[in-house]
Amino acid sequence: MLRRFLILLSSLTAFLLTMFMGWGIGNLSGFFSDRSRTILVLLLVGSAGVATILRVDTNPLRRGRLPVGTQSATLMVLAIASFILVWFLPFSDQKGILKLDGGEILRYVGLSLCVLGIAIRLFAMATLGRQFSAYVTLQEGHRLVNSGIYRVIRHPLYLSLLLAGPGFALVFKSMLALPITIAALLFIGMRMRQEESLLELEFGESFREYRRNSWHLIPFVH
């Protein structure tokens, strides 16, 4: 449990520091002058607390028992791009760069997407347990998870990214919300195909039956 807590604490600290550095450490009062940005910070801290209480296993580097090929390089590029965005979005908000027209409602739309995305992610990770990994792989003793949120949709973790990523951008009223959405869709589409091929190979008819009775991402839509 201590290891999980330290991973969460270090990840949260790095995320918040990067975000604050983008805005400007010397002007944090300006960051917190907006209620939606303040709520975003509270949401991030609160979600880390909930993850600790639920004993969510947050180790993303569990490689499993299959070769991971070039996935490490891909994940490294995505991690670097993500941290650049975490820095740039507050920076652009503070400097008025690439900002969307419209009222403050955009920030709260983004905040709502973040809340929903984070909640879905926590439920999914709590259900997966030690089978959670950023790699497309299988763990030792891997089982087909079709309970909890996985009973309805097969890829809730990807849905959480599709919600929280653009949502985060909208909290800072950034025009990058649309490009982030498109990039996320392309990445998620590729990963879903990879995962489903792997699961079908491993579990055969059990997975095919599960696939017939569940949705990719959104119930009754896809």
Side-chain angles (χ1 to χ4, degrees), residues 34-41 104 107-108 111 171-172:
D34 180 83
R35 185 175 299 176
S36 61
R37 291 193 296 260
T38 302
I39 295 174
L40 175 65
V41 173
E104 294 299 293
R107 298 190 192 274
Y108 289 98
L111 191 62
V171 171
F172 296 100

Side-chain angles (χ1 to χ4, degrees), residues 1-15 48 51-52 56-62 83 125 130 132:
M1 185 172 179
L2 178 60
R3 183 171 179 273
R4 287 196 294 266
F5 174 74
L6 290 176
I7 291 174
L8 272 171
L9 182 61
S10 60
S11 299
L12 176 64
T13 301
F15 193 99
T52 301
V56 171
D57 195 319
T58 55
N59 179 13
L61 302 179
R62 192 174 290 111
F83 269 94
M125 291 177 68
R130 290 183 59 81
F132 167 71

Side-chain angles (χ1 to χ4, degrees), residues 96-107 170 172-176:
I97 301 171
L98 296 176
K99 290 187 71 171
L100 290 166
D101 295 328
E104 294 299 293
I105 187 65
L106 285 176
R107 298 190 192 274
L170 285 176
F172 296 100
K173 294 183 69 175
S174 175
M175 292 181 181
L176 294 181

